[in-house]
Amino acid sequence: MSEPERVADHTIEIRAARPDDAEWNAVARLNAVVPRGERHDYEPRSPAALRELDAVLSRDGRVLRRHVAEIVETGAIVAYAHGFHMPWDHHPARFWCSVRCDPAYRHRGIGRRLFTALGRDLDRLGATELRAMAPENQPDILALVTRLGFRELFRSWDFELDLAQPGPEPLPAASPPGIAIVPLPEERARRPVWLPDLRALYLAVSREVPLPNHADPELPAEAFAAYLERWPTSLPEACFIARKGDTYLGLCILHRNAEDSACLDHLFTGVAAEGRGRGIATALKLETIAFARRHGYARISTAVESNNPGMLALNERLGFVRRGGLVVFVKRR
């Protein structure tokens, strides 16, 4: 706990968060006011989802530390910061960090105080590397993160395809010669033992995506199947597989958008090394676009990292328009 400080007409105390309903409610409220384009992963906007995130991290042996900024006079929580082991990364000394503040209390040094307290906690746990994100269109936040000792690692840019607009011409045939592009339910019916091979493709391609961390190398098969088929936003009929016989060469994963029923979220496109250069990624993306149009969706959203020029070029070719982005930062201790 840090020494309380006066902020305007209030005394603000930084302390460790308590795992109870009142504090889950307060943290979720802070997440809920963040504009859609500035939201990060792992910032649940409902108390139940936040409680579930904490439970999942604990169940999987992931460390979580959360601090809150509380108005001493009223008990109101006006900001929080947390750091946790990234679920997609098994490095014990690498943590993902986030700070959120009530808009009425920004630019008063609260975020800096929260991060300082959180950093001390993570130092005691042996943290050697911290990761964080900030909107690229908010120079004051970018400057704060830089002052805290972070440096830019890469950018994640949001893109959107307006399905009311005609697609670019000319486009290739929907399926390269000898390659079948099929939705997941069709493949599951054709080949009941689909899961191990598709999981192996997903993990192999994920490890080659130009991100600083690879996909979870221990992702259980059932967890991968649930991601494709049983999450609240899962849409297995919008997940397409490129195969040659029983060999899986490519995969696209789309989910429903949790907040916009007219939008699909394109989460993953990957092609096995032996299938590249044959137009498979383009064919997969075209199938997702055709699916979205057939089912009356208005938009497809996706995100592409700045260090992935091939996918950036493909999205531009297919008519996706950049809508903004986030800067990913790293701080090594």
Side-chain angles (χ1 to χ4, degrees):
M1 183 182 299
S2 69
E3 288 295 320
E5 290 186 13
R6 295 290 293 178
V7 174
D9 296 327
H10 303 296
T11 304
I12 303 292
E13 180 179 80
I14 307 298
R15 61 168 176 79
R18 293 186 287 264
D20 60 33
D21 287 341
E23 304 222 344
W24 281 316
N25 287 338
V27 170
R29 281 196 301 270
L30 292 168
N31 290 337
V33 301
V34 178
R36 179 181 172 188
E38 298 173 14
R39 292 174 192 160
H40 306 168
D41 294 337
Y42 300 99
E43 292 184 344
R45 294 174 296 109
S46 75
L50 182 65
R51 185 168 55 247
E52 176 63 16
L53 170 64
D54 290 5
V56 167
L57 291 171
S58 175
R59 186 169 62 242
D60 292 346
R62 309 285 181 170
V63 173
L64 166 71
R65 291 291 184 271
R66 183 176 292 131
H67 291 257
V68 296
E70 181 180 53
I71 299 177
V72 173
E73 293 84 353
T74 65
I77 291 173
V78 297
Y80 82 91
H82 64 195
F84 53 87
H85 281 142
M86 295 176 270
W88 61 93
D89 180 25
H90 284 267
H91 197 300
R94 186 180 290 137
F95 290 82
W96 187 262
C97 301
S98 180
V99 180
R100 289 298 183 191
C101 187
D102 184 311
Y105 287 85
R106 292 176 183 169
H107 309 296
R108 302 185 184 189
I110 296 174
R112 174 187 51 76
R113 291 177 59 204
L114 274 167
F115 187 81
T116 299
L118 176 65
R120 285 196 296 264
D121 241 10
L122 299 182
D123 282 343
R124 285 191 288 269
L125 293 168
T128 60
E129 186 174 298
L130 308 181
R131 298 281 172 90
M133 267 182 160
E136 65 177 4
N137 63 350
Q138 294 190 357
D140 54 336
I141 296 179
L142 298 179
L144 171 62
V145 174
T146 301
R147 288 197 300 273
L148 290 171
F150 285 82
R151 64 173 181 83
E152 180 175 334
L153 197 57
F154 67 96
R155 300 196 177 208
S156 179
W157 288 321
D158 295 326
F159 289 84
E160 187 173 273
L161 179 66
D162 181 353
L163 294 168
Q165 300 298 318
E169 299 291 345
L171 290 175
S175 180
I179 307 296
I181 307 291
V182 297
L184 175 58
E186 181 180 320
E187 180 63 13
R188 185 180 54 207
R190 185 193 76 89
R191 189 181 182 221
V193 293
W194 61 276
L195 180 57
D197 287 350
L198 195 64
R199 171 180 174 266
L201 168 69
Y202 173 77
L203 292 178
V205 173
S206 294
R207 294 184 187 108
E208 296 183 14
V209 173
L211 288 169
N213 301 121
H214 298 319
D216 184 348
E218 301 173 13
L219 179 70
E222 279 307 306
F224 177 59
Y227 172 55
L228 295 178
E229 301 183 289
R230 297 192 298 275
W231 281 22
T233 55
S234 293
L235 192 61
E237 57 268 34
C239 296
F240 289 90
I241 299 166
R243 63 174 175 82
K244 184 175 184 179
D246 287 343
T247 301
Y248 296 143
L249 294 174
L251 173 65
C252 270
I253 300 173
L254 277 75
H255 277 200
R256 300 180 183 89
N257 186 289
E259 300 171 16
D260 184 352
S261 61
C263 183
L264 289 178
D265 290 332
H266 192 127
L267 303 178
F268 178 85
T269 301
V271 177
E274 63 270 27
R276 292 171 193 164
R278 301 164 67 179
I280 292 175
T282 302
L284 284 165
K285 301 246 332 169
L286 287 173
E287 286 289 350
T288 67
I289 293 168
F291 172 91
R293 287 198 166 112
R294 284 197 307 272
H295 291 83
Y297 289 94
R299 291 173 299 284
I300 299 176
S301 67
T302 192
V304 184
E305 284 63 48
S306 57
N307 54 3
N308 193 347
M311 192 55 63
L312 288 169
L314 176 56
N315 278 299
E316 181 179 359
R317 183 182 175 207
L318 294 177
F320 284 81
V321 177
R322 183 176 159 191
R323 299 298 191 195
L326 298 164
V327 184
V328 179
F329 289 92
V330 63
K331 180 177 183 179
R332 295 187 172 95
R333 317 291 275 180

